[in-house]
Amino acid sequence: MKLAIAPIGWTNDDLPELGGDIPFEQCISEMALAGFAGSEVGNKYPKDPKVLKQALKPKKLTICNAWFSSYLTTAPYEEVEAAFIKHRDFLHAVGAKIIGAAEQGHSIQGQEAPIFDAKPVYTDEEWKRLTEGLNKLGKLAAEKGMKLTYHHHMGTGVQTAAEIDRLMENTDPNLVGLLYDTGHLVFSGEDHLRVLKKWIKRIRHVHLKDMRPAIREKAVQEKWSFLYSVKSGVFTVPGDGCIDFEPIFKILKDAKYEGWWVVEAEQDPAKANPLEYAIKARKYIKKAGGI
């Protein structure tokens, strides 16, 4: 197991006003200072693999993954494949082994729509296009010795435990893994430990995200959008919200999970100092998880 942190706590790709003034160099310097060994990729990161690797080397940081937006339910497969190959080759060049995909066809995560009421529900035909497409992308990842992992996400057609089950049951275990995200499951109202136990053998990547229940309650009652919920502080780092991570860590360890644990808690850096919260997360994981 290796520990990484996502740059979204410093600068938010979906909400450019959050951390827009924080440079890439500050982000990776503070990641290293807080004691992390890896990072996911943000929009401010250099697009040239050589430049990115050179910047990370003095910090002893490794790229572990980067988000890929698939549109298998709404776009021709050939378009998705071309974008995926470009994304895959970049990640391979910087040494990553994981490709985290999330289906964005019909997604409302970036829209001003109520996160629960307007959530998309796929038709049987869309499920077929999604699962068959993911298997194809998984083969392309395997060509480079990489693993495709699916990121369930609020505001998409794969958000709930039942939707995760359907996706896993209809994709090839050798080609498609699961990116397990604690915060998205709890925000959605799911039994996160049940999902973890059921699909532990398919989990290839882990996002450690905590949640503030009082803010979630407001999001539900006042019909907030996903992005407004984020700006309002629904997510935080492990140890600062309502989730008990000790059982999660134990299940992963007992299953001999090998891979990255990634702290990924998007917040407004003006309200939650990124370095302070990164250090808080690192201390909590050492205490609760032993790493």
Side-chain angles (χ1 to χ4, degrees):
M1 289 178 290
K2 296 166 285 187
L3 195 60
I5 190 166
I8 202 165
W10 281 264
T11 180
N12 194 305
D13 293 345
D14 296 321
L15 291 162
E17 66 269 27
L18 300 187
D21 59 332
I22 298 177
F24 161 71
E25 292 78 8
Q26 177 183 336
C27 177
I28 60 170
S29 293
E30 293 184 348
M31 286 177 172
L33 187 61
F36 291 90
S39 170
E40 294 196 346
V41 178
N43 280 347
K44 289 183 180 177
Y45 282 41
K47 303 300 186 288
D48 183 325
K50 291 182 180 179
V51 174
L52 179 54
K53 289 175 74 174
Q54 186 175 4
L56 295 173
K57 189 175 181 180
K59 315 296 182 187
K60 297 181 180 178
L61 288 171
T62 300
I63 294 297
C64 60
N65 175 33
W67 170 286
F68 176 74
S69 294
S70 64
Y71 292 90
L72 294 164
T73 59
T74 55
Y77 171 75
E78 292 74 18
E79 290 183 9
V80 180
E81 181 181 276
F84 183 81
I85 289 172
K86 182 179 180 181
H87 186 81
R88 177 202 66 180
D89 291 351
F90 169 79
L91 283 177
H92 183 262
V94 296
K97 301 295 184 183
I98 297 294
I99 307 173
E103 176 61 19
Q104 294 299 289
H106 306 299
S107 172
I108 62 161
Q109 69 188 69
Q111 301 175 12
E112 290 300 320
I115 190 62
F116 288 99
D117 295 356
K119 178 200 168 305
V121 176
Y122 296 145
T123 64
D124 288 344
E125 176 58 27
E126 286 169 338
W127 273 108
K128 187 172 185 289
R129 291 179 65 179
L130 175 60
T131 54
E132 290 181 355
L134 287 172
N135 283 338
K136 292 177 183 178
L137 298 182
K139 288 180 182 178
L140 292 170
E143 288 178 359
K144 293 283 190 177
M146 303 174 76
K147 294 178 180 178
L148 177 67
T149 61
Y150 190 87
H151 188 347
H152 57 89
H153 200 285
M154 292 294 295
T156 73
V158 186
Q159 171 183 306
T160 67
E163 290 162 345
I164 292 170
D165 288 348
R166 183 165 181 174
L167 184 85
M168 291 290 98
E169 288 163 1
N170 289 279
T171 50
D172 187 332
N174 296 314
L175 299 175
V176 182
L178 181 65
L179 191 161
Y180 175 76
D181 190 303
T182 57
H184 281 278
L185 282 170
V186 176
F187 191 2
S188 185
E190 307 302 319
D191 182 342
H192 62 288
L193 291 178
R194 187 200 74 82
V195 174
L196 177 60
K197 291 173 184 175
K198 183 170 184 177
W199 297 113
I200 185 67
K201 292 182 179 178
R202 297 281 295 274
I203 293 171
R204 303 285 180 266
H205 202 62
V206 175
H207 278 178
L208 303 177
K209 184 188 282 117
D210 215 334
M211 195 200 71
R212 297 183 175 103
I215 296 178
R216 178 192 185 273
E217 188 63 25
K218 281 188 176 183
V220 173
Q221 291 180 354
E222 299 179 21
K223 300 185 182 301
W224 290 353
S225 69
F226 175 70
L227 294 183
Y228 189 79
S229 301
V230 168
K231 287 173 71 173
S232 300
V234 71
F235 292 133
T236 185
V237 298
D240 191 52
C242 67
I243 301 175
D244 180 2
F245 283 85
E246 288 192 22
I248 297 169
F249 295 155
K250 186 178 188 306
I251 292 167
L252 289 167
K253 285 183 175 181
D254 288 349
K256 294 181 170 55
Y257 167 84
E258 293 182 359
W260 290 92
W261 290 3
V262 185
V263 172
E264 193 224 30
E266 52 265 53
Q267 298 189 80
D268 183 348
K271 299 176 182 176
N273 180 275
L275 177 58
E276 177 187 338
Y277 275 77
I279 291 171
K280 182 183 293 189
R282 186 67 189 91
K283 287 180 178 178
Y284 175 78
I285 293 167
K286 184 176 182 180
K287 179 181 178 182
I291 66 168

